[in-house]
């Protein structure tokens, strides 16, 4: 009876369950990023408009149209006097909480499954997003209260990447890893596109910045309901997976243990490839967070776009990045399957493309001056290259240790996210006068961070599975756990 019910339900799905999980994982990140990024554009309309006579910029752009410096908000009492440093603190506050729950989220996902670790994290962020306008207005625009609220939102969302990585380790075979991983993680671009494009239109049509938070909070709650109904932590616990897919995954993921394992902390924390990934993640996040938190401010303060134009043009780079991340994931898997590239070389190659391209074109964009379309296209090319990160270093934690991928992603993504604390505040502190020259310095710093962190990955990164991924190896408790990291590095150098 039960098997017949399972068989009937499995036939209702046109796609295998691992693809359904991948699609829902994609939308998990979409929702996470819409709620995270929505403030970046909304805050440009939440502050009292800048008086351009307060500072002088010899490279200043001329506003397009006659109403560019006027507020788009109907109720002027909901505008607040937050200076650039204060705005930087508000934008960075999310990441203060975000970094703290990565490690607990990864451990919980590996111990109890990623389904509820991910789902409840997104749900909590959704609820706090919904009450954001009320909290701001109730506090009279007290930025300290908003900072506290954003920290709490970050705490909820910190479980997202560790839980998703743990889920992918249980569901995705090696030969599909770059493709499905790139699709899932490209949700960050789609979420940024959706947030920027719709936020501008929502504010323009409602003349109220609060609509942004209501809309994206409600979407995330809808996702949570579907997630609970459709997705499960592993194939063995899925009630209506087909026997064919279940057998296939058991065969392809034979190196992934279904036993709850003790985390080999000493081996992980002395792993050179793991720390190379941490440093590379810092570089990626530095560039990515600089763009998602500060590009709307650059578009308004330097290029003088109005709120609707800002939302539209701020989203264009991420549309192209979304396409390149998916295409590069497929291409990477193709190259590895055909033995054209080794796994290690492919990870390093695509990571380097995703570092050097953005570093160069972000700086070029700052020299485009007031040629608005040239600047937009330079930013777009930069983000197109950045899409290659996802089949490079972003899925590398799954290569190193599928059994402890959630814990690895927690450490890597959590420490990398410290960039999100630094970059908004640094940009705010360096651009107090809103001049092009000040923004150019921000982009040159980003160039340097990209270059240094990518060099570290080229020297010490690897696609080899680490010895401490093996439960039997960990049971032996070797006296020198660092030996496997040295071996991995030797293998990496010979594979180059």
């Amino acid at each position: 009876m039960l098997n017949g019910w399972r068989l009937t339900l499995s036939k209702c799905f046109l796609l295998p369950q691992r693809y359904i999980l991948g699609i829902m994982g994609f939308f998990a990140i979409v929702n996470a990023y819409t709620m995270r990024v929505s403030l970046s554009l909304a805050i440009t309309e939440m502050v009292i408009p800048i008086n351009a006579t307060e500072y002088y910029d010899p490279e200043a752009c001329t506003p397009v149209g006659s109403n560019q410096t006027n507020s788009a908000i109907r109720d002027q009492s909901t505008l607040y006097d937050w200076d650039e440093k204060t705005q930087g603190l508000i934008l960075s506050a999310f990441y203060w909480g975000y970094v703290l729950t990565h490690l607990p989220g990864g451990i919980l996902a590996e111990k109890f499954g990623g389904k509820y670790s991910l789902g409840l994290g997104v749900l909590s962020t959704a609820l706090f997003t919904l009450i954001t306008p009320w909290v701001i207005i109730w506090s009279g625009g007290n930025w300290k209260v908003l900072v506290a609220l954003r920290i709490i939102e970050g705490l909820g969302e910190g479980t997202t990447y560790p839980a998703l990585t743990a889920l992918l380790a249980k569901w995705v075979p090696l030969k599909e890893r770059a493709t499905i991983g790139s699709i899932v993680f490209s949700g960050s671009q789609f979420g940024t596109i959706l947030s920027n494009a719709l936020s501008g239109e929502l504010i323009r049509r409602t003349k109220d910045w609060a609509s942004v938070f209501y809309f994206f909070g409600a979407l995330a709650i809808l996702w949570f309901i579907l997630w609970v109904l459709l997705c499960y932590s592993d194939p063995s616990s899925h009630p209506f997976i087909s026997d064919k897919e279940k057998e296939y995954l058991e065969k392809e993921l034979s190196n992934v243990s279904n036993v709850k394992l003790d985390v080999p902390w000493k081996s992980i924390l002395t792993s050179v490839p793991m720390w190379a990934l941490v440093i590379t993640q810092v570089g990626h996040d530095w560039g990515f967070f600089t763009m998602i938190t500060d590009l709307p401010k650059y578009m308004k303060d330097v290029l003088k776009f109005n709120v609707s134009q800002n939302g539209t043009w701020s989203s264009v780079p991420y549309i192209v990045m979304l396409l390149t991340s998916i295409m590069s994931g497929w291409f990477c898997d193709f190259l590895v399957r055909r033995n054209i590239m080794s796994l290690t070389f492919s990870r390093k190659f695509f990571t380097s493309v995703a570092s050097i391209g953005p570093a160069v074109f972000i700086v070029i964009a700052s020299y485009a001056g007031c040629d608005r379309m040239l600047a937009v296209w330079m930013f777009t090319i930069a983000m197109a290259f950045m899409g290659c990160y996802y089949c490079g270093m972003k899925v590398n934690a799954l290569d190193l240790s599928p059994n402890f991928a959630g814990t690895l992603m927690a450490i890597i993504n959590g420490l990398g996210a410290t960039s999100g604390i630094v970059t908004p505040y640094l940009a705010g502190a360096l651009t107090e006068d809103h001049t092009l020259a000040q923004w150019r310095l921000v982009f040159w710093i980003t160039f340097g961070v990209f270059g240094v962190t990518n060099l570290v990955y080229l020297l010490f990164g690897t696609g080899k599975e680490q010895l401490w991924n093996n439960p039997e190896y960990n049971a032996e408790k070797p006296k020198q756990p660092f030996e496997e990291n040295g071996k991995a590095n030797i293998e990496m150098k010979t594979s180059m």
Side-chain angles (χ1 to χ4, degrees):
M1 179 72 175
L2 181 61
N3 287 335
W5 176 76
R6 283 181 57 248
L7 183 62
T8 301
L9 280 177
S10 67
K11 289 180 179 179
C12 294
F13 292 90
L14 298 177
L15 294 174
Q17 293 301 323
R18 64 186 183 278
Y19 296 151
I20 291 174
L21 180 123
I23 292 168
M24 290 300 296
F26 167 81
F27 282 111
I29 296 184
V30 168
N31 280 285
Y33 267 79
T34 58
M35 293 184 290
R36 181 191 310 189
V37 176
S38 55
L39 181 63
S40 298
L41 192 138
I43 201 171
T44 66
E45 300 299 324
M46 294 167 69
V47 296
I48 296 171
I50 302 165
N51 183 353
T53 61
E54 292 179 1
Y55 60 89
Y56 173 68
D57 180 8
E59 300 177 276
C61 302
T62 303
V64 179
S66 59
N67 298 320
Q68 300 301 306
T69 58
N70 293 340
S71 173
I73 305 304
R74 179 185 295 109
D75 185 357
Q76 297 289 294
S77 68
T78 60
L79 301 182
Y80 305 103
D81 188 16
W82 298 332
D83 61 22
E84 288 299 318
K85 285 185 179 179
T86 300
Q87 291 178 54
L89 283 171
I90 293 169
L91 290 172
S92 70
F94 174 92
Y95 298 97
W96 304 355
Y98 184 66
V99 300
L100 293 177
T101 49
H102 267 68
L103 194 54
I107 295 171
L108 288 172
E110 285 172 354
K111 287 288 185 182
F112 305 107
K115 175 176 181 175
Y116 288 103
S117 180
L118 173 63
L120 293 175
V122 173
L123 176 63
S124 67
T125 308
L127 295 175
F128 285 111
T129 298
L130 283 171
I131 68 170
T132 295
W134 179 83
V135 169
I136 295 172
I137 295 169
W138 167 80
S139 67
N142 187 326
W143 65 269
K144 294 178 182 178
V145 174
L146 179 55
V147 163
L149 181 64
R150 292 289 289 179
I151 292 172
I152 296 171
E153 287 183 37
L155 288 171
E157 205 168 295
T159 63
T160 303
Y161 277 98
L164 267 175
T165 304
L167 286 164
L168 293 176
K170 298 287 187 183
W171 279 94
V172 182
L174 174 62
K175 60 187 177 182
E176 298 177 2
R177 190 169 290 164
T179 301
I180 295 180
S182 293
I183 290 172
V184 170
F185 294 132
S186 67
S188 60
Q189 294 106 62
F190 192 77
T192 306
I193 294 164
L194 203 62
S195 181
N196 284 330
L198 293 185
S199 293
E201 279 302 300
L202 283 168
I203 293 172
R204 184 180 72 84
R205 290 178 180 276
T206 64
K207 299 188 182 302
D208 183 4
W209 52 259
S211 59
V212 170
F213 300 97
Y214 297 142
F215 182 78
F216 292 120
L219 276 185
I221 290 176
L222 176 61
W223 171 88
F224 173 76
I225 295 169
L226 294 174
W227 173 257
V228 170
L229 295 174
L230 295 176
C231 296
Y232 292 81
S233 293
D234 54 61
S236 62
S237 66
H238 203 297
F240 38 86
I241 187 174
S242 69
D243 291 335
K244 181 180 179 181
E245 183 180 11
K246 189 174 183 180
E247 290 170 4
Y248 169 74
L249 292 176
E250 286 174 353
K251 177 182 176 183
E252 293 294 322
L253 297 171
S254 58
N255 66 327
V256 180
S257 175
N258 287 321
V259 179
K260 307 304 180 185
L261 303 172
D262 292 330
V263 179
W265 288 110
K266 190 174 182 181
S267 296
I268 289 175
L269 295 177
T270 54
S271 171
V272 174
M274 193 280 292
W275 284 108
L277 262 183
V278 169
I279 293 169
T280 314
Q281 184 75 48
V282 168
H284 167 261
D285 285 357
W286 188 286
F288 191 56
F289 293 153
T290 295
M291 293 294 286
I292 66 172
T293 59
D294 293 313
L295 184 58
K297 289 168 64 64
Y298 184 85
M299 293 280 195
K300 179 174 183 178
D301 294 349
V302 176
L303 299 180
K304 308 297 190 208
F305 286 124
N306 64 29
V307 64
S308 182
Q309 294 168 330
N310 194 341
T312 300
W313 293 115
S314 291
S315 67
V316 168
Y318 303 100
I319 295 173
V320 180
M321 185 181 178
L322 172 64
L323 297 174
T324 57
S325 63
I326 294 172
M327 290 188 293
S328 63
W330 172 85
F331 189 48
C332 179
D333 276 340
F334 172 81
L335 294 173
V336 172
R337 278 198 305 267
R338 296 294 182 92
N339 293 318
I340 298 171
M341 285 185 180
S342 69
L343 192 63
T344 293
F345 185 82
S346 71
R347 298 294 187 244
K348 292 184 177 183
F349 173 79
F350 284 99
T351 299
S352 296
V353 170
S355 297
I356 297 168
V360 171
F361 283 95
I362 287 173
V363 170
I364 291 175
S366 71
Y367 286 94
C370 292
D371 188 333
R372 294 176 176 83
M373 288 302 99
L374 179 60
V376 168
W377 285 114
M378 292 302 100
F379 284 127
T380 300
I381 294 171
M383 300 309 286
F385 280 113
M386 196 180 286
C388 295
Y389 256 122
Y390 296 92
C391 63
M393 55 76 59
K394 199 67 176 180
V395 296
N396 198 192
L398 293 166
D399 303 324
L400 299 183
S401 177
N403 281 325
F404 305 105
T407 298
L408 282 187
M409 182 58 83
I411 297 170
I412 294 162
N413 210 63
L415 292 176
T418 56
S419 297
I421 298 173
V422 177
T423 54
Y425 180 76
L426 181 65
L430 293 176
T431 61
E432 287 187 288
D433 297 329
H434 314 278
T435 66
L436 181 56
Q438 290 174 339
W439 276 103
R440 191 173 290 142
L441 175 59
V442 172
F443 295 144
W444 270 113
I445 292 172
T446 303
F447 179 96
V449 172
F450 268 131
V452 171
T453 56
N454 186 65
L455 179 61
V456 171
Y457 190 66
L458 288 175
L459 293 174
F460 302 110
T462 181
K464 300 288 184 180
E465 181 182 318
Q466 302 297 283
L467 294 180
W468 39 266
N469 180 64
N470 189 333
E472 294 179 3
Y473 174 83
N474 292 318
E476 294 172 3
K477 300 185 185 301
K479 295 181 180 179
Q480 292 182 312
F482 61 84
E483 290 179 357
E484 73 269 25
N485 302 318
K487 180 179 178 182
N489 287 323
I490 292 171
E491 290 173 334
M492 174 273 292
K493 290 174 183 175
T494 57
S495 68
M496 291 291 287

